[in-house]
Amino acid sequence: MNAAAAVADLISALPEGAVDLDPGTRERCSHDDAEWADFGIPSAVVFASSAEDVAETVRIAARHGLTVVPRGAGTGLSGGANATEGCIVLSLERMTAILRVDVDERYAVVQAGVLNDDLRRHVAEVGLWYPPDPASQSISTIGGNIATNAGGICCVKYGVTRDYVLALTVVLADGRIARVGRTTAKGVTGYDLTSLFVGSEGTLAIVVEATLKLLPLGGREERAIVGYFRSLTDAGRAVAAVSSAGIIPSALELIDRTCLDAVAAWQGWALPEGASALLLAKVDEPGARGEELARRIAEAFATAGGSQIERATDPDEIARLFSARRLAYPALERLGPVLTEDVCVPRGAVPEMLARIERTAADEDVVIANIAHAGDGNLHPLIIAPEGDDEAMRRAKRAFDRIVDDCRALGGTVTGEHGVGLLKLPGAAEELSPVVLDLHSSIKQALDPQGILNPGKAFPNGA
Amino acid sequence: MNAAAAVADLISALPEGAVDLDPGTRERCSHDDAEWADFGIPSAVVFASSAEDVAETVRIAARHGLTVVPRGAGTGLSGGANATEGCIVLSLERMTAILRVDVDERYAVVQAGVLNDDLRRHVAEVGLWYPPDPASQSISTIGGNIATNAGGICCVKYGVTRDYVLALTVVLADGRIARVGRTTAKGVTGYDLTSLFVGSEGTLAIVVEATLKLLPLGGREERAIVGYFRSLTDAGRAVAAVSSAGIIPSALELIDRTCLDAVAAWQGWALPEGASALLLAKVDEPGARGEELARRIAEAFATAGGSQIERATDPDEIARLFSARRLAYPALERLGPVLTEDVCVPRGAVPEMLARIERTAADEDVVIANIAHAGDGNLHPLIIAPEGDDEAMRRAKRAFDRIVDDCRALGGTVTGEHGVGLLKLPGAAEELSPVVLDLHSSIKQALDPQGILNPGKAFPNGA
C-alpha cells in the first residue's frame, strides 16, 4: 500500500477538481451519520463525475493496494460509509444526472448521486411515482438507497428499494464496468445479480447508474387515521386487527410515550392522559373503497381501546396528524446524541419487543424512545445518551446489544432497513449461520479477491 | 466418475425406494417439457423425501464426480431439468409437505415438491392468497417455480415468484444445508442470497424448502373485459392506452389470429370477420373503483378500434370470456409438436415484435401462433412443426433463433419467465456481456467449484 503514489496517480488520471486532499473534506467524508461506529481518515476523497472516473479510481486503488469506500450523501445510520484509515473515499454526490425517463415503459435511468426526492419530483411532472420513501428521502441518494436496500414508510404496502431496481451499471473490483438487469417488465436471463448488488453496501461493486421501475402517480387518494392507546399491548392489538382484516395500509406507524413526550415538551402540546402510544395509519385506495378501509381501521383502533381517534383526507390535515412522526427524531436529538436502532420482528411480536425495550431502558438507565413501522414489524428504538457522558454511552451501547438479542429471540432480523454497516456486524454474526457466512465470504472472494471494496462492511468476514 | 459405485452408495445411504434404476423411470425423468433440447439418460433417479436425502445424494455424487440434475414436476419449457448422460436426477416430487401457514404473519413454509395449486387451495382455506400463477400451476411445483422464477398471468400487477420468496432452505454443492432469508416483512442482514438462488435453475444450490409471502385473499373482485381487434397495431394501441391511463390490470393477455383459428376450428366457434387479435383484461379492485377501471379499459379498447367488447363480473362468465386463453395451448398441440418461445420486450414494442414474428413465420414457412402477456411485454410465440417432418423442425428452430434476435433488436430479454435452461443459452450469450458472463462464472465457481449442480444450464458457461 502506497497512499502517496496512489494519490499522485489519481490526480493525474482524473479530471481537475476530482481529487480532494483538504483535511476538512477528508474529515467530513470520513463517516456517515453513525458516528458511534469506528472510522478512520481517508488519504483522499475522489468526487467522481462519471462511471469512468469511478472505474479509474478503483483501478488505481487496486494497483496500489488501497481500499475504496464508496459514499453517497453519508446519511447512513450503520457506518456503511465509514472510512478505513488511509483509504480512498469515493463520493458519488456529483453524479446527479437523471438520464432518462421512459413514460410509456415507466422507468427512469439515473446516476447514483441523484437525491431520492429529486427523482420523486422529476418523475411526478410526467405523472409517475417512485415509491421508496426512507425518512432521509430529502437528503439521501439513490445510490445510497440501493447500497442499503432502503425501506421507508410506504413499503408496508409498496415494497422496498430492491423492488424498484430493474437494472444497474456497476464498477467491479477490477475496474471493469458491468451492466446487469433489464428494462423490460419481466426477465429471467441469468442470475439475479441486480438483487445481489442491491443491499451489498458497496462491498461487491460500486453502483454508478440505476434503472428504476416507476408506478403511475394517479389513482391514489390518501386518508389518514390516528389514535392514542393506553398500552403498547392495546396498540399491538390494533395493528394485528388491521392485518387480520386483510387490510394492507400504505402506512402504519407507531410512536411511543417517550417519543411523544419529547415532541410535546418541544412543541408545547398536551397529550391525552395515560396515552402510551400513538398509531398513525394511511390508506390510499380512491373513493368509496378508501373511505371504507379508513372506517374499518378506525373501528379496529376503537375496538382495541384506542381513543381520540381522528381521520383526515385533506393533505394539510393529514400532515398535521402525522406531525408527531415528522418531529419525533429532531425532538429527540434535542435531548442528546441519538443511537438509532433498526430491528425487524414478526408483526405480532411488536408489543412484546417494545415491552422488552422498556425493560432494557430501565435496567440500563438510558432513555429509549421508539418509532416503529408497526405494519411491518420494523422498530427504530432511539437510544439517547447525554453529550459527553462516557458512562451513559457505554450503557447505551449495552442497551443496543440487548435490543438486538431480544429481536433475535423473538424471531426477528437485526436490521430491517438501515443495513449491517459496522454497527450490526455482531448482530449479523449471531443471525447468519456459519454456512451462510461462508457463502458470503465465497461470493465476496469471487467478486473482490483483493478485498478492496468497502472492506469489513455488510457481513462479518472472518476470512 | 464411477456411476455404478455412486449408485451403490446411494442405495445403501438412502431410504428404501428412494433410488429408482428402472429404465422407464430414468427415461421419464430424463427431460422436462422442452423435448426439443438435448438430454441424456441418468444413471439413477433419486426420489428424495427430506433435505437430508438431498444432501446425502449431493455428497455421494460429489464424491464420485457425478453431476446432479434437480427436478420438480418436469413441466419446464427450456430444458432446465434435462438430464446429462449418466447423471443423477434428483426428484423433489415426493417432498409435498406444507409445513406451516402463519396466518398472522402471512407466510407459508413448504417443501419444494408442493404443487402451486395445492398451496393456493391450502392457504385459501385460511383467507390467504399465493399470487404467482404460471400456466402450469396445476402441475408444476413450487421448487420448479422458484428455480425458474416463474411468472404467470397476474404478475403484471402482482409480481413474479421471486417477489414472494422470503426464505429458502437449500442444499449446497458440498452437501451442506443452508437457510437464507428471513420470515419478517423486511430485512437487510447480509447479501440477498435468496434472490440469487431464485431463478438460478438449480445450478448454485438445490431448493428443498421455501418460506413464501402470502397476501390477504379477500378485498378483490374480478372484472373481465375482452375485445377483438382488426390489427395487431390496434391491439397494441389499446394496451398502450390502458398503460398510459395509469391502470395496472390484474391480467392483460393477447391472443393472435393463428391461435384463435386453432381454438375456433377445434371448438366450432365463429370468429368475427377480420379479427387479428383478441385482448383479455381483468381488474380486481372491488366496488365502484373496479367498475370504473373496467369501464375505462373498455373505452380504451373501443377507442383503439376494438369490436365485440364484452365485460363480465360473474366468475362463470369471466371463465367463458377467458376460455380462448385456456384452450389456446391444447388447441395448438393438436396441430403438431409445439416449440414454445418466451421473449419479453418493452410493452410498447409488442405490436412490432408480433409483426416481425409474422414475417418470420412467412419466411420460414412455419405456423407460429401467439399468446402474449401483453401487459408486461412477455410473448409466447408457439412454433408448430408437423410430427416427423425434420425439415420443418429445422425451419422451426431457425424461426426460434430469429425471434430471439428480433427481441434483442427491440431492447428485449431472451426469456421473460421460462428460464434459460438449454434452449436459451445462445440467446443468453448474446444478451449478457462478457463481463456479466464472467460474473456468472465467478459465482458458479465460488459456490460449486466441482461443477456438479445442473451443469450447463442457466447461463453459457465457457469455463
Side-chain angles (χ1 to χ4, degrees):
Chain A
M1 161 170 158
N2 185 337
V7 168
D9 282 1
L10 287 168
I11 290 171
S12 75
L14 294 171
E16 191 163 342
V19 183
D20 195 331
L21 304 177
D22 175 67
T25 307
R26 285 154 61 209
E27 164 66 30
R28 174 177 78 79
C29 294
S30 63
H31 60 79
D32 62 19
D33 282 345
E35 296 150 56
W36 295 52
D38 291 336
F39 59 89
I41 300 296
S43 297
V45 179
V46 170
F47 291 93
S49 297
S50 68
E52 197 37 60
D53 286 355
V54 174
E56 192 66 76
T57 302
V58 170
R59 282 192 292 263
I60 290 169
R63 198 158 64 227
H64 293 280
L66 259 67
T67 60
V68 176
V69 176
R71 178 186 175 86
T75 61
L77 292 166
S78 298
N82 283 18
T84 46
E85 186 66 31
C87 75
I88 307 296
V89 163
L90 179 51
S91 169
L92 295 128
E93 68 188 83
R94 291 188 191 163
M95 293 182 62
T96 58
I98 296 175
L99 301 167
R100 183 172 168 212
V101 179
D102 190 316
V103 176
D104 293 332
E105 306 295 331
R106 285 203 290 266
Y107 65 79
V109 183
V110 305
Q111 287 187 318
V114 169
L115 294 183
N116 179 305
D117 262 357
D118 286 347
L119 171 63
R120 185 183 318 278
R121 269 191 295 267
H122 188 88
V123 301
E125 285 170 22
V126 289
L128 294 171
W129 179 40
Y130 178 67
D133 60 348
S136 60
Q137 63 186 56
S138 65
I139 50 172
S140 65
T141 65
I142 293 295
N145 294 173
I146 289 170
T148 55
N149 187 23
I153 287 182
C154 78
C155 62
V156 60
K157 178 168 181 180
Y158 289 99
V160 295
T161 300
R162 181 177 285 114
D163 300 312
Y164 294 87
V165 182
L166 292 172
L168 292 173
T169 304
V170 299
V171 171
L172 302 176
D174 59 7
R176 288 186 298 173
I177 296 173
R179 184 173 166 79
V180 298
R182 59 178 208 277
T183 55
T184 50
K186 281 152 88 178
V188 292
T189 307
Y191 299 152
D192 187 358
L193 300 176
T194 308
S195 289
L196 180 64
F197 290 142
V198 176
S200 67
E201 302 187 356
T203 62
L204 298 178
I206 298 173
V207 172
V208 291
E209 195 180 297
T211 302
L212 302 168
K213 174 180 156 178
L214 305 171
L215 294 183
L217 181 64
R220 294 179 304 119
E221 287 172 22
E222 288 206 324
R223 287 174 170 77
I225 311 94
V226 307
Y228 287 93
F229 294 83
R230 299 185 69 81
S231 71
L232 295 170
T233 310
D234 283 357
R237 280 171 48 220
V239 171
V242 169
S243 179
S244 61
I247 300 170
I248 299 184
S250 57
L252 186 48
E253 301 286 304
L254 179 148
I255 303 176
D256 78 353
R257 178 76 202 200
T258 309
C259 215
L260 288 171
D261 279 338
V263 177
W266 183 26
Q267 299 289 314
W269 293 353
L271 293 176
E273 210 172 313
S276 287
L278 174 66
L279 280 184
L280 309 114
K282 278 184 194 170
V283 293
D284 63 359
E285 285 80 357
R289 173 67 177 169
E291 199 53 33
E292 181 206 337
L293 293 176
R295 181 182 53 72
R296 284 168 60 196
I297 289 177
E299 279 172 14
F301 281 14
T303 305
S307 64
Q308 300 208 8
I309 296 166
E310 287 188 76
R311 289 166 58 181
T313 54
D314 175 73
D316 290 340
E317 189 64 6
I318 292 174
R320 185 187 66 80
L321 291 183
F322 267 67
S323 55
R325 176 71 180 80
R326 202 174 54 250
L327 297 170
Y329 200 84
L332 290 163
E333 279 193 310
R334 296 173 68 244
L335 307 181
V338 174
L339 178 56
T340 306
E341 254 291 3
D342 166 47
V343 292
C344 192
V345 296
R347 266 188 298 271
V350 169
E352 170 64 16
M353 187 68 214
L354 288 169
R356 290 189 184 206
I357 292 167
E358 220 165 45
R359 281 201 296 277
T360 295
D363 291 352
E364 301 293 349
D365 188 25
V366 287
V367 175
I368 308 183
N370 284 284
I371 308 171
H373 305 306
D376 41 34
N378 187 191
L379 287 79
H380 294 310
L382 306 169
I383 311 171
I384 298 143
E387 190 90 58
D389 182 341
D390 289 350
E391 177 50 34
M393 282 188 65
R394 269 189 289 277
R395 294 198 308 273
K397 286 202 172 175
R398 276 206 304 271
F400 186 93
D401 293 340
R402 200 166 138 181
I403 289 168
V404 168
D405 290 344
D406 280 326
C407 143
R408 291 291 303 142
L410 295 173
T413 183
V414 301
T415 170
E417 58 181 10
H418 291 176
V420 168
L422 292 171
L423 288 181
K424 287 299 171 72
L425 288 174
E430 290 293 312
E431 180 171 342
L432 304 174
S433 68
V435 56
V436 171
L437 286 172
D438 277 358
L439 287 171
H440 280 73
S441 298
S442 299
I443 289 172
K444 171 72 175 174
Q445 175 69 24
L447 268 53
D448 179 18
Q450 273 189 272
I452 68 158
L453 295 181
N454 211 10
K457 315 289 172 59
F459 72 100
N461 194 353
Chain B
M1 161 169 158
N2 184 337
V7 168
D9 281 1
L10 288 169
I11 290 171
S12 74
L14 294 171
E16 193 164 340
V19 184
D20 195 332
L21 304 177
D22 175 68
T25 307
R26 285 154 58 208
E27 163 67 30
R28 174 177 77 78
C29 294
S30 62
H31 60 79
D32 62 21
D33 282 345
E35 296 149 54
W36 295 53
D38 291 336
F39 58 91
I41 301 296
S43 296
V45 180
V46 170
F47 292 93
S49 298
S50 67
E52 196 37 59
D53 286 357
V54 175
E56 191 68 72
T57 302
V58 170
R59 281 193 292 263
I60 291 170
R63 198 158 65 224
H64 292 282
L66 259 68
T67 59
V68 176
V69 176
R71 176 185 176 85
T75 60
L77 292 165
S78 298
N82 282 18
T84 46
E85 186 66 31
C87 75
I88 306 297
V89 164
L90 179 51
S91 169
L92 295 129
E93 67 187 85
R94 292 188 190 163
M95 292 182 61
T96 58
I98 297 176
L99 301 167
R100 185 173 166 210
V101 179
D102 190 317
V103 176
D104 293 331
E105 306 296 329
R106 284 202 290 265
Y107 65 80
V109 184
V110 305
Q111 287 188 316
V114 169
L115 294 183
N116 180 305
D117 262 357
D118 287 347
L119 171 63
R120 185 184 318 279
R121 269 190 296 268
H122 187 87
V123 301
E125 286 170 22
V126 290
L128 294 171
W129 179 40
Y130 178 68
D133 61 347
S136 61
Q137 63 185 56
S138 64
I139 49 172
S140 64
T141 65
I142 293 295
N145 293 174
I146 290 171
T148 56
N149 188 22
I153 288 182
C154 78
C155 63
V156 59
K157 177 167 181 179
Y158 290 99
V160 295
T161 300
R162 181 176 285 116
D163 299 312
Y164 294 87
V165 182
L166 292 172
L168 292 172
T169 304
V170 299
V171 172
L172 302 176
D174 59 7
R176 287 186 299 171
I177 296 173
R179 183 173 167 79
V180 298
R182 60 179 207 277
T183 55
T184 50
K186 282 153 86 178
V188 292
T189 307
Y191 298 153
D192 188 358
L193 300 176
T194 308
S195 289
L196 179 65
F197 290 142
V198 176
S200 66
E201 302 188 355
T203 63
L204 298 178
I206 299 174
V207 173
V208 291
E209 194 181 298
T211 301
L212 302 167
K213 174 180 156 176
L214 305 170
L215 294 183
L217 180 64
R220 295 178 305 120
E221 286 174 21
E222 288 206 325
R223 287 175 170 77
I225 312 94
V226 305
Y228 287 93
F229 294 83
R230 300 185 69 81
S231 70
L232 294 171
T233 310
D234 284 357
R237 280 171 46 220
V239 171
V242 169
S243 179
S244 63
I247 299 170
I248 300 184
S250 56
L252 186 47
E253 302 286 304
L254 180 148
I255 304 176
D256 78 353
R257 179 76 201 198
T258 309
C259 215
L260 289 171
D261 279 338
V263 176
W266 182 27
Q267 299 290 312
W269 294 353
L271 293 176
E273 210 172 314
S276 287
L278 174 66
L279 279 183
L280 310 113
K282 279 185 194 170
V283 293
D284 63 359
E285 284 81 357
R289 173 68 177 170
E291 200 53 35
E292 181 206 336
L293 293 176
R295 181 183 53 70
R296 285 167 59 195
I297 290 177
E299 280 172 14
F301 281 13
T303 305
S307 64
Q308 299 207 9
I309 295 165
E310 287 189 76
R311 288 166 57 182
T313 54
D314 175 73
D316 291 340
E317 190 62 7
I318 291 174
R320 186 187 66 78
L321 291 183
F322 267 67
S323 55
R325 176 69 179 83
R326 201 174 56 250
L327 297 169
Y329 199 84
L332 291 162
E333 278 194 310
R334 295 172 71 244
L335 307 181
V338 174
L339 178 56
T340 306
E341 254 290 7
D342 167 47
V343 292
C344 192
V345 296
R347 266 187 299 270
V350 169
E352 170 62 16
M353 186 69 215
L354 289 168
R356 290 188 183 207
I357 293 167
E358 221 164 41
R359 282 201 296 277
T360 295
D363 291 352
E364 300 293 349
D365 188 25
V366 287
V367 175
I368 308 182
N370 284 285
I371 308 172
H373 305 305
D376 41 34
N378 186 192
L379 287 79
H380 294 309
L382 304 168
I383 312 171
I384 297 142
E387 190 88 57
D389 182 342
D390 288 350
E391 178 48 37
M393 282 188 66
R394 271 189 289 277
R395 295 200 306 274
K397 285 198 172 177
R398 275 206 305 271
F400 187 93
D401 293 340
R402 200 166 137 180
I403 289 169
V404 167
D405 289 345
D406 280 327
C407 142
R408 291 290 305 140
L410 294 172
T413 183
V414 300
T415 171
E417 57 180 12
H418 290 175
V420 169
L422 292 171
L423 289 179
K424 287 299 170 71
L425 288 174
E430 289 294 311
E431 179 171 341
L432 304 175
S433 67
V435 56
V436 171
L437 286 172
D438 277 358
L439 287 172
H440 280 73
S441 298
S442 298
I443 289 172
K444 171 72 175 173
Q445 174 69 25
L447 268 52
D448 179 18
Q450 272 188 273
I452 68 157
L453 295 181
N454 211 11
K457 315 290 172 56
F459 72 99
N461 193 354

